């Protein structure tokens, strides 16, 4: 008996998934045993399975147990990225164990990805159905299938794939559809491989067990390097694994999320592609990874971000782009996949990202913050410093202009407060590096720009009637991104001006610990519709409460936010008023903020009780 469709219009809920990966791409597995999102060979490659965006045209790989009154549970094998989907009924109990083996040299880019799917029955007897329907190039390319001795080979021009371990009679047209019954103790292994080097092969128990043990060992060895010993260890470790899974090992770049076009509002138009790397993520990534002891990963991302800084990508929108592909290129042309239905009829289905060429002045602060944090681990060399000096000289002449802002709104440029704050950070960190290292720099010019920004923020961006720093001068609208103002050191967290701003944000944007990034009705962003609370900002709120020494409120807000994570502790970008997670999933920035909020709050609570937590 087939399980009933669930979620929105037959789609699984966005957060109704676990994630597996091999440090070059990932796959999402829903709780009914369906791989409904997988791109190969990289995060930003065209999809092979994308039924999450179109059940008919997107392609999927599903393994599930048949039977009456089937209960399903999904969980991670402890301290790993190995996912278990367990099917339980009166007839028996069985598991689908999913993982992607990590190569011995994951920093070497390879064209082939492998997904291992093992079926194990632990009690009674169960019948399983396996359906494998690849749809190459976002479902735009037709394919053929050939049954061979130990599996099926798929071909679509230059794109090829193999399903290892199925019988020849499993072929159904150009797809695979087969059922089989397993008794207690039985183990059946399958592997889906893109760009295989040979014909499909039989997967023996010994090889399957070795791949499983090696994958478990990789993740547990990696987690053992974490220096975090505080509260909420399980949530922090899971978030750390999310970051590791979303960092492209060959370059060190961290994608914002592995998915594209998942809506911020069901049926709405806010459907963006997040499979790229934002410069904005740099400082948070470096801080969070270093704080957990993951120096290698932090340095890799810092080197990647530093390379983008010194490239000076063009002067029309400044010498730095806001986002790049994971290989460092900046070709992110936005296209619409008109043939896809879209998640829950949410259109357009966008791939690429048209915001790549926007002017967002805050990115200079985030880039300089990351480089300043990383200075103790990898000091900037002379060629890099010469380029960085040129960027700050450009910023001296260009900081005082409207930009599109941190939220990439498409409603026109404004003098966004956060852009000014982060330009202040850029000059402040540049000055620190120059003075600490004795590097040549126009210190007076940079200092004058930094001080002018400070004066502008504290006069024009402060609304005395609202008693708050607002989204931009002349408005009463507050913006959750200003929660970072004390974090970057521009204002004391106990300053009365800041405390009244924190209260204003709490009154206008916070509901039961969940935080809206801004009020689009009061501050139109050029797009129709509304959105949910922004999980990233919810963790920023925890950090702000912690800095303000409102620890009871901070702990409540943090632990309440943890309850909104999905069944395996993953967070999408947003949470709607009904508790549904919306937007691309899982979002790296949310998990970065979770880690930082946990570290800050744990340290503050420890100080209150007299303990002495480890510090960065």
């Amino acid at each position: 008996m087939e399980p009933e469709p669930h979620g929105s219009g037959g789609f699984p809920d966005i957060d109704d998934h676990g994630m597996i990966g091999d440090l070059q791409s990932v796959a999402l597995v829903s709780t009914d045993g369906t791989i409904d999102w997988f791109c190969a060979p990289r995060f930003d490659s065209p999809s092979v399975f994308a039924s999450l965006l179109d059940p008919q045209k997107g392609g999927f790989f599903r393994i599930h147990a048949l039977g009456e009154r089937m209960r399903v549970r999904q969980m991670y094998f402890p301290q790993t990225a190995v996912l278990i989907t367990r099917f339980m009924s009166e007839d028996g109990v069985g598991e689908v164990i999913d993982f992607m083996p990590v190569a011995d040299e994951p920093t070497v880019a390879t064209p082939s990805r492998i997904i291992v799917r093992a079926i194990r029955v632990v009690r009674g007897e169960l019948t399983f159905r396996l359906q494998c329907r690849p749809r190459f190039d976002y479902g735009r390319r037709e394919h053929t299938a050939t049954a061979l001795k130990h599996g099926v080979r798929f071909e679509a021009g230059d794109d090829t794939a193999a399903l290892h371990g199925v019988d020849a009679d499993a072929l159904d047209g150009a797809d695979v559809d087969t059922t089989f019954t397993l008794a207690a103790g039985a183990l059946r292994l399958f592997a889906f491989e893109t760009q295989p080097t040979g014909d499909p092969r039989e997967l023996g128990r010994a090889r399957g067990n070795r791949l499983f043990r090696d994958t478990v060992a990789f993740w547990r060895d990696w987690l053992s390097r974490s220096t975090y010993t505080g509260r909420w260890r399980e949530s922090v470790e899971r978030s750390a694994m999310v970051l590791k899974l979303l960092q492209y090992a060959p370059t060190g770049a961290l994608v914002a999320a592995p998915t594209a076009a998942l809506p911020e509002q069901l049926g709405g138009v806010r459907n963006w592609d997040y499979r790229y790397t934002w410069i904005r993520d740099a400082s948070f990534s470096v801080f969070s990874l270093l704080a957990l002891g993951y120096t290698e990963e932090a340095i890799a991302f810092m080197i990647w971000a530093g390379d983008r800084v010194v490239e000076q990508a063009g002067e029309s929108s400044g010498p730095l782009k806001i986002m790049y592909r994971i290989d460092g290129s900046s070709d992110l042309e936005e296209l619409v996949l008109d043939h896809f239905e879209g998640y829950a009829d949410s259109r357009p289905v966008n791939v690429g990202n048209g915001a790549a060429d926007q002017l967002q002045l805050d990115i200079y602060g985030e880039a300089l913050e990351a480089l300043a944090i990383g200075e103790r681990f990898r000091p900037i060399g002379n060629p890099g410093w010469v380029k960085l000096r040129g960027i700050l000289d450009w910023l001296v002449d260009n900081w005082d202009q409207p930009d599109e802002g941190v939220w990439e709104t498409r409603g026109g440029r404004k003098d966004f407060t956060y852009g000014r704050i982060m330009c202040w950070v850029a000059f402040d960190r540049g000055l620190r590096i120059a003075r600490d290292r004795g590097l040549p720099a126009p210190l007076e010019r940079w200092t004058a720009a930094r001080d002018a920004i400070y004066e502008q923020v504290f006069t024009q961006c402060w609304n005395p009637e609202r008693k708050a720093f607002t989204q931009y001068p002349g408005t009463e609208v507050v913006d959750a991104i200003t929660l970072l103002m004390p974090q970057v050191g521009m204002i004391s967290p106990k300053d009365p001006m800041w405390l009244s701003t924190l209260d204003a944000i709490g009154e206008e944007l916070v509901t039961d610990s969940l935080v809206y990034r801004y009020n689009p009705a009061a501050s139109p962003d050029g797009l129709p519709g509304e959105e949910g609370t922004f999980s990233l900002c919810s963790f920023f709120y925890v950090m702000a409460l912690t800095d303000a020494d409102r620890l009871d409120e901070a702990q409540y807000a943090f632990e309440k936010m943890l309850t909104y994570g999905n069944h395996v502790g993953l967070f999408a970008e947003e949470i709607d008023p009904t508790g549904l997670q919306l937007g691309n999933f899982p979002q790296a920035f949310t998990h970065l903020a979770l880690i930082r909020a946990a570290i800050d709050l744990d340290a503050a609570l420890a100080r209150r009780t007299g303990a002495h937590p480890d510090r960065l």
Side-chain angles (χ1 to χ4, degrees):
M1 180 180 178
E2 296 282 356
E4 290 295 321
H6 57 286
S8 302
F11 288 84
D13 290 341
I14 288 173
D15 67 341
D16 203 10
H17 294 84
M19 179 174 66
I20 58 175
D22 65 355
L23 314 187
Q24 295 192 29
S25 190
V26 303
L28 297 187
V29 187
S30 74
T31 54
D32 67 359
T34 302
I35 296 176
D36 53 20
W37 183 260
F38 171 61
C39 299
R42 313 188 323 186
F43 296 104
D44 57 353
S45 299
S47 63
V48 180
F49 302 128
S51 60
L52 192 57
L53 296 179
D54 192 303
Q56 301 303 318
K57 300 175 184 176
F60 62 88
F61 183 7
R62 185 180 186 189
I63 301 176
H64 65 284
L66 304 177
E68 299 287 343
R69 300 172 62 184
M70 188 69 65
R71 293 184 299 117
V72 184
R73 296 290 183 272
Q74 190 178 71
M75 71 291 295
Y76 279 111
F77 199 65
Q79 295 188 305
T80 75
V82 175
L83 195 65
I84 299 173
T85 307
R86 182 172 296 148
F87 297 89
M88 299 168 285
S89 73
E90 294 178 358
D91 295 327
V93 174
E95 299 173 337
V96 178
I97 303 168
D98 291 312
F99 60 94
M100 294 176 67
V102 179
D104 293 336
E105 296 292 339
T107 57
V108 177
T110 58
S112 179
R113 308 268 69 79
I114 300 175
I115 300 171
V116 176
R117 312 201 74 182
I119 303 175
R120 175 174 170 265
V121 174
V122 297
R123 182 182 63 78
E125 185 178 87
L126 286 177
T127 297
F128 288 85
R129 185 180 183 188
L130 181 154
Q131 299 163 280
C132 185
R133 300 180 182 177
R135 298 293 184 266
F136 298 94
D137 189 26
Y138 303 115
R140 295 180 296 190
R141 185 176 295 179
E142 296 290 332
H143 73 274
T144 61
T146 305
L148 300 169
K149 184 176 180 181
H150 296 301
V152 172
R153 182 178 180 85
F154 304 97
E155 294 182 283
D158 294 336
D159 291 327
T160 60
L163 179 57
H164 305 277
V166 294
D167 300 327
D169 61 2
L171 192 60
D172 180 23
D175 300 320
V176 171
D177 193 336
T178 185
T179 60
F180 46 89
T181 300
L182 300 177
L187 177 68
R188 188 83 184 266
L189 293 165
F190 305 94
F192 184 85
E193 182 179 10
T194 59
Q195 302 301 115
T197 56
D199 289 339
R201 57 192 177 274
E202 187 176 13
L203 300 175
R205 182 185 288 259
R207 185 168 186 268
N209 284 336
R210 178 177 60 81
L211 290 172
F212 173 79
R213 287 195 302 268
D214 289 350
T215 304
V216 168
F218 171 85
W219 287 106
R220 289 183 173 172
D221 288 347
W222 186 79
L223 268 186
S224 70
R225 292 165 41 201
S226 172
T227 57
Y228 181 79
T229 58
R231 304 166 179 84
W232 315 295
R233 183 171 177 177
E234 184 175 348
S235 295
V236 170
E237 288 185 343
R238 182 54 57 192
S239 291
M241 280 190 279
V242 169
L243 302 188
K244 183 67 172 176
L245 284 164
L246 297 184
Q247 186 173 34
Y248 184 62
T251 65
L254 186 77
V255 296
T259 56
L262 292 180
E264 297 175 17
Q265 180 187 31
L266 293 180
V269 301
R270 301 166 188 260
N271 315 317
W272 315 121
D273 189 346
Y274 274 24
R275 297 172 299 156
Y276 309 113
T277 302
W278 271 251
I279 290 294
R280 182 172 297 112
D281 295 7
S283 60
F284 260 79
S285 301
V286 171
F287 179 93
S288 298
L289 291 167
L290 287 175
L292 296 177
Y294 292 115
T295 306
E296 179 181 332
E297 288 78 6
I299 290 176
F301 189 37
M302 185 184 67
I303 291 172
W304 181 92
D307 288 345
R308 306 291 80 74
V309 169
V310 302
E311 283 173 355
Q312 300 209 30
E315 297 183 358
S316 61
S317 60
L320 195 60
K321 299 282 188 178
I322 69 168
M323 72 180 89
Y324 296 84
R325 290 189 179 274
I326 51 181
D327 61 6
S329 62
S330 55
D331 177 19
L332 280 76
E333 180 184 3
E334 190 167 286
L335 303 172
V336 175
L337 301 180
D338 288 321
H339 63 290
F340 270 1
E341 174 184 345
Y343 180 87
D345 201 28
S346 302
R347 298 189 186 93
V349 178
N350 292 306
V351 293
N353 201 307
D357 292 322
Q358 287 189 352
L359 176 65
Q360 297 180 19
L361 292 170
D362 67 282
I363 63 173
Y364 295 94
E366 281 117 8
L368 265 292
E369 178 81 306
L371 294 174
I373 293 171
E375 264 285 290
R376 74 189 80 168
F377 299 95
R378 186 179 183 266
I380 299 170
N382 180 66
W385 179 248
V386 170
K387 292 285 190 179
L388 192 59
R389 225 169 48 199
I391 286 176
L392 287 174
D393 287 342
W394 177 90
L395 195 59
V396 168
D397 297 326
N398 289 277
W399 68 264
D400 193 13
Q401 63 174 306
D403 70 341
E404 272 92 1
V406 60
W407 302 128
E408 298 172 6
T409 61
R410 304 192 181 192
R413 295 182 177 183
K414 293 184 174 65
D415 294 317
F416 286 109
T417 300
Y418 183 68
R420 300 299 191 265
I421 292 170
M422 295 311 292
C423 285
W424 178 91
V425 170
F427 290 118
D428 182 73
R429 303 316 189 253
L431 287 164
R432 288 188 195 179
I433 295 171
R435 287 167 176 158
D436 290 349
R437 297 266 309 280
L439 298 175
L443 300 182
E444 291 186 4
R445 192 164 184 254
W446 292 359
T447 300
R450 182 196 64 182
D451 294 349
I453 296 169
Y454 184 94
E455 293 298 330
Q456 185 179 112
V457 169
F458 277 79
T459 55
Q460 298 180 35
C461 300
W462 168 260
N463 186 316
E465 287 76 29
R466 190 72 176 88
K467 292 184 171 54
F469 293 99
T470 55
Q471 191 176 53
Y472 52 86
T475 183
E476 294 189 353
V477 175
V478 293
D479 190 327
I481 196 64
T482 56
L483 289 166
L484 292 180
M485 195 173 178
Q487 281 283 323
V488 300
M490 194 177 197
I491 193 169
S492 165
K494 304 293 182 62
D495 189 302
M497 294 175 76
W498 171 248
L499 293 176
S500 63
T501 301
L502 182 58
D503 288 339
I505 291 173
E507 292 165 5
E508 184 171 323
L509 301 180
V510 180
T511 171
D512 192 33
S513 86
L514 301 176
V515 182
Y516 290 95
R517 51 184 180 173
Y518 58 89
N519 181 353
S523 178
D525 57 12
L527 294 168
E530 300 178 352
E531 61 178 12
T533 57
F534 219 67
S535 295
L536 166 70
C537 295
S538 298
F539 288 117
F540 285 171
Y541 186 56
V542 172
M543 292 158 52
L545 291 172
T546 300
D547 286 344
D549 204 29
R550 291 159 59 173
L551 299 187
D552 291 339
E553 293 176 68
Q555 184 169 1
Y556 172 83
F558 181 76
E559 293 178 338
K560 191 63 180 287
M561 266 303 298
L562 294 184
T563 68
Y564 283 98
N566 81 341
H567 58 287
V568 288
L570 306 184
F571 286 87
E573 186 176 29
E574 301 184 12
I575 299 171
D576 85 349
T578 70
L580 283 174
Q581 294 204 41
L582 295 175
N584 286 301
F585 173 88
Q587 193 197 38
F589 216 162
T590 299
H591 287 275
L592 287 164
L594 185 157
I595 291 169
R596 188 161 176 177
I599 291 170
D600 288 358
L601 180 56
D602 186 70
L605 292 171
R607 287 193 295 270
R608 186 169 70 176
T609 59
H612 300 283
D614 294 334
R615 293 176 178 271
L616 177 63

